[in-house]
Amino acid sequence: MSTTIIFTVVSLVALGLLFSVVLYIVAQKFKVEEDPRIDIIESLLPGANCGGCGLAGCRAFAEEVVNAPSLGSLSCPVGGDAVMENVAAALGQEAVKIEPRVAVIKCHGTVDNRARINHFDGYASCKVMASLYSGDTGCRYGCLGKGDCVEACKFDAIRIDERRGIVEVDEEKCVACGACVRACPKSIIELRPKGPKNRRVYVSCSSKDKGAIARKACSVSCIGCGRCAKVCAFDAITIENNLAYIDPSKCKLCRKCVDECPTKAIWAVNFPIKVPLTPKQEKPVIKTDNREEKR
Amino acid sequence: MKRTFSIGGIHPNDSKLSREAHIEIFPVLDVAYISMAQHLGAPAEPVVQKGDKVRVGQVIGKPTGFISAFVHSSVSGTVKAVEPKGDLAGNPVMHVVIDVEGDEWCEEIDRSKDIVREIPFSSEEILEKIKNAGVVGLGGAAFPTHVKLNPPKDKKAEYLIINGTECEPYITSDDRIMRERPDEIVIGAAIMMKALKADKCYIGIEENKPEAIASMKEAASPYPGIKVAVLKKKYPQGGEKQLIDALIGRKVPSLALPIEVGAVVQNVGTSLAVYEAVQKNKPLIDNVITVTGSCVPHQRNFLVRVGTPFSKMLDAIGGLPKDAAKFISGGPMMGKAVANMDASTLKATSAFLLLTEAETKRKEETNCIRCGKCIDACPMGLEPYLLNKLSRIGGMHDELEKEKIQDCIECGCCLYSCPAHIPLLDIIRVSKAEVMNIMRNRSAKQ
Amino acid sequence: MARLLVSGAPHLHVKENTQSLMRDVLIALAPSLLVSIYFFGFSAIKLVLVGVISCVLVEYLIQKFILKTKVTINDLSAAVTGCLLALNLPPSSPWWLVFIGAIVAIGIVKMTFGGLGQNIFNPALVGRVFLLISFPTLMTDWTIPESWFRTGVDAFTGATPLALTKEGLAAGLTLPEIFAANEFTFKEMLFVKIGGSVGEVSALALILGFVYLLIRRVIKPHIPLIIVGTIAVMTGIFNLINPDIYTGPLFNIFTGGVLLGAIFMATDYVTSPMSIKGMVIYSIGIGVITVLIRYFGAYPEGISFAILIMNTTVPLLNKYCKPRRYAKEVKNG
């Protein structure tokens, strides 16, 4: 009996020693020399592997940062300036400040604003839906509401509003990584500067249809009438393909265009409510939805 | 022994409800909306302007590339507008809108019913006539016929294969023309054989159309090169690759055309159009469309002028039936669900099918149980479950290419047969487009 | 006008679904169940009921309270597992044994891997093997419980033929001696008189279920036929070499769980390969391992272990055994 036990113990120990030696040799032989700074930088990053920087993940970003001569355009949208400052400090370089941005949905074609004319019965994906036809409303530019962006978002910052049939962004959670922008087959999501006190003005519509067609399909569509461009004192608004665009770098947030827009397609968010907007519109409702507003 | 293709396939109920309905001529309406994108390839360019007077058979759109086709007016009257209008999917396509006045045809068109058997034209003349008549493949893809009949010089077409399988359930337009106009179809085949300099021709017909088989056999008897082959009923027999496998036992390589194995496949409807184009100088301005469905009170087969709005055709059958839940242009396996009722018929429109909610509504997706039924069904020998899985992970394009997603013919057998109701083809179709795009970009770079 | 539906093609769908496939498996098990009720009476009914109810209950509780996902007991897959588990136990098993087996089968083997379609091993088989290892005495106690219909145990030996031969061989007897001592005849094995677990009593009833599954196209014939064929060929060869030690093909096919295993356990969709090529390799593997365990292993019966061992190869078989592709070569350019 005891010999069996001794034999077992001895042979197992011998095997263990043998394997450890082999493993050590292999590990030495195939050792990959890596810059130790990569590990340090990676530990400073948020670790979400979201790809918001345009690289495969945080590790890839760390490698890129270490190998690049200067930080330049490399930036982690998730961590923002705080993280980039740490990274720059670790590398002994100067951090480049990036203006904080947020994803905005350039469509407000809710069920109430934009009538559904058919019912999509296939796999619930915007990509699949867009490949088959123009969509379940009269507008072929707007939000399909199947949530490819929701799936793409690693930060739980976009959700589908089931009742209203479109998506909305939680601007507190949004880190402007741009995953949703890439996921949207209709290209209706834009990363815009957050703006002072999170206040910004933008056109919440992507329809390039002529005014009459756009209006018929959706009551809050941009009809390309150009009144906003005329009223803008800063030349911030351009009209192209029947669609207005507000250049955030020129916009001074005066909000004249908001009042001027006949279809209420221009949005001003996070401004204190001065007078109730047209009571028919949904905007005040959204405002109370907005967590930013409550604080 | 009856032949069929060797890999995969399914046996849906054929539901040929309208098979006994004679072809009726659908009345010409007061406005025609003629699309400039009725064929695969570059859309035609309108050559008429608002206010122009046009006659039936007059060219209103000219081809804009090698793979493109002429478009002719199907009515006579005044051009009301040349503008983009929604196609059946709601995407804008250039249309010529014509206000109908009378029914005045171009003089060169022979409108008599006499059958002309003599083919006094050379191969080049035939191709020119087919091209000028704007004939496209009527089997579904609407590939310009003159391009298909003009293979590269180093490739020899041994076989012309005429597709009379009509393997899609419900559709009966090919069945009806084979029963009512067999001689013209056979002459059309003889014309195409002459154009291709091919000496062998098979007309493949599935066994569920005995009358068509009989009439086509009789019509083909004077032509020693043309044989009618009876095929077992199995979907998708009408797929080019499957039909070639079934009839001559050859397999078309991945991403290659049938000419690679010495075959050219044309639909019976195309054959009829070729006959009319070459022997009667009649361009492709009308085609037979089946209007059917279990909820449709009267099953019909109509000869319809190109450019008739869908909604007007529904009016002719008494409006949309109450329990219709889906309106499909084409068959139930590969047809497109119509999102825009204001769209109008095309050259290659073969059927309007109305399905009820019970027949067509997708069931809720459940877990894959790895039963392998999609593998058994796939006629290309692919693994749809795997393609679905890889596609859903995202970014697996190299793996998908290795798994041959580009060979998918989008026949729908996988989605049809999945007991877990996984929307396999919905997902595979999108991934396939992405992979094909990547492959095209890569070969463009080389 | 009502809003019409829009979707990609195809617009038709088979009537078949997961539930109907599982229902067909249950129907196919019915003949064996009836035969075992005839022989074992109340205990057979009790075991199957406890098996089905406990499997469904465990799945329900886990989905509802632990995973908090949609409850999918309606797909009947848990019921099939419960039924198969019960059929794989000795007729005299106490009810709590079945319940423990159900917890292992559903709770550990199925749900921890992600539920239906995700598990690597056949749940019912792991349940059985777990019990066999944990409760060896109970699991090899082949005494026949009192029956409603038949008192007296005239038709049964009490131990399985496989166990008897194994013991006999170990005691130094030759096969003809063992056979003569126990009065085995093949007629008895084919019809009714095989001692063994609840589902194994009648080969004929199992074959009836097999035919039903084939007609309904629930399974393909490849796996069961190749397993049985492999066992027949292999035991045939060994039997020719030395008929005194190695039992012959008929004996091996009609005793123990070969038919139950080959028809109902090895063909489980989730844990068997999807392509024909994979099925062939998988089934040959099961056959060979079964025979090796029977001839040379410690246990008299090996098909459960054989199937579980081959289950582990299924992901690899699915990866490397591709179906016959239509297009062989890739055209360059």
Side-chain angles (χ1 to χ4, degrees), chain A:
Chain A
M1 192 65 191
S2 61
T3 52
T4 319
I5 290 168
I6 290 165
F7 182 74
T8 316
V9 169
V10 168
S11 56
L12 279 177
V13 168
L15 274 177
L17 282 173
L18 179 72
F19 287 140
S20 58
V21 168
V22 170
L23 278 175
Y24 177 78
I25 292 168
V26 171
Q28 283 302 315
K29 193 165 168 140
F30 295 101
K31 196 172 177 183
V32 180
E33 286 299 335
E34 237 184 7
D35 195 327
R37 290 182 300 171
I38 294 175
D39 284 327
I40 297 167
I41 302 291
E42 195 187 358
S43 68
L44 294 172
L45 296 172
N49 292 318
C50 64
C53 50
L55 296 160
C58 292
R59 180 91 192 167
F61 180 76
E63 283 170 16
E64 192 76 17
V65 166
V66 168
N67 294 328
S70 75
L71 284 177
S73 62
L74 287 168
S75 123
C76 172
V78 178
D81 288 341
V83 162
M84 286 315 290
E85 261 164 38
N86 290 338
V87 170
L91 293 169
Q93 290 182 351
E94 194 75 19
V96 182
K97 280 213 188 265
I98 297 274
E99 199 180 356
R101 295 188 297 173
V102 68
V104 298
I105 313 282
K106 294 197 289 179
C107 174
H108 197 54
T110 61
V111 176
D112 306 318
N113 292 335
R114 188 172 58 146
R116 274 17 182 196
I117 54 174
N118 58 57
H119 179 82
F120 182 62
D121 189 33
Y123 178 54
S125 144
C126 305
K127 206 157 78 170
V128 168
M129 196 171 165
S131 73
L132 291 169
Y133 72 126
S134 62
D136 57 1
T137 68
C139 172
R140 63 197 172 89
Y141 296 98
C143 179
L144 295 170
K146 300 293 176 213
D148 280 14
C149 49
V150 177
E151 194 136 309
C153 185
K154 295 254 171 54
F155 304 94
D156 194 23
I158 304 190
R159 62 182 192 92
I160 304 179
D161 187 328
E162 293 288 350
R163 192 192 70 75
R164 300 191 305 157
I166 58 166
V167 293
E168 50 183 38
V169 178
D170 181 338
E171 57 186 74
E172 288 221 322
K173 288 183 181 166
C174 177
V175 297
C177 69
C180 53
V181 177
R182 287 186 292 275
C184 180
K186 296 282 185 186
S187 304
I188 62 166
I189 307 180
E190 186 192 354
L191 297 180
R192 289 178 75 91
K194 273 196 165 169
K197 292 188 191 163
N198 288 337
R199 292 173 182 177
R200 43 187 189 273
V201 177
Y202 64 96
V203 181
S204 185
C205 180
S206 305
S207 173
K208 292 178 183 138
D209 277 329
K210 282 187 185 139
I213 300 170
R215 186 67 188 259
K216 194 182 158 206
C218 175
S219 64
V220 293
S221 61
C222 172
I223 53 174
C225 64
R227 278 162 69 175
C228 50
K230 271 192 205 114
V231 83
C232 184
F234 311 100
D235 280 343
I237 306 183
T238 47
I239 311 275
E240 208 174 312
N241 293 327
N242 307 309
L243 182 61
Y245 179 74
I246 302 177
D247 184 343
S249 63
K250 290 181 183 165
C251 177
K252 301 276 188 263
L253 306 177
C254 71
R255 289 173 287 156
K256 270 189 193 150
C257 52
V258 179
D259 298 331
E260 191 67 24
C261 181
T263 54
K264 302 293 165 209
I266 302 182
W267 276 50
V269 291
N270 299 327
F271 289 93
I273 303 173
K274 34 177 193 181
V275 278
L277 297 164
T278 14
K280 262 188 182 168
Q281 294 299 328
E282 275 186 89
K283 274 180 222 171
V285 182
I286 307 285
K287 290 209 173 238
T288 51
D289 272 0
N290 200 322
R291 268 158 258 195
E292 201 72 31
E293 201 64 39
K294 281 183 199 149
R295 283 194 309 182

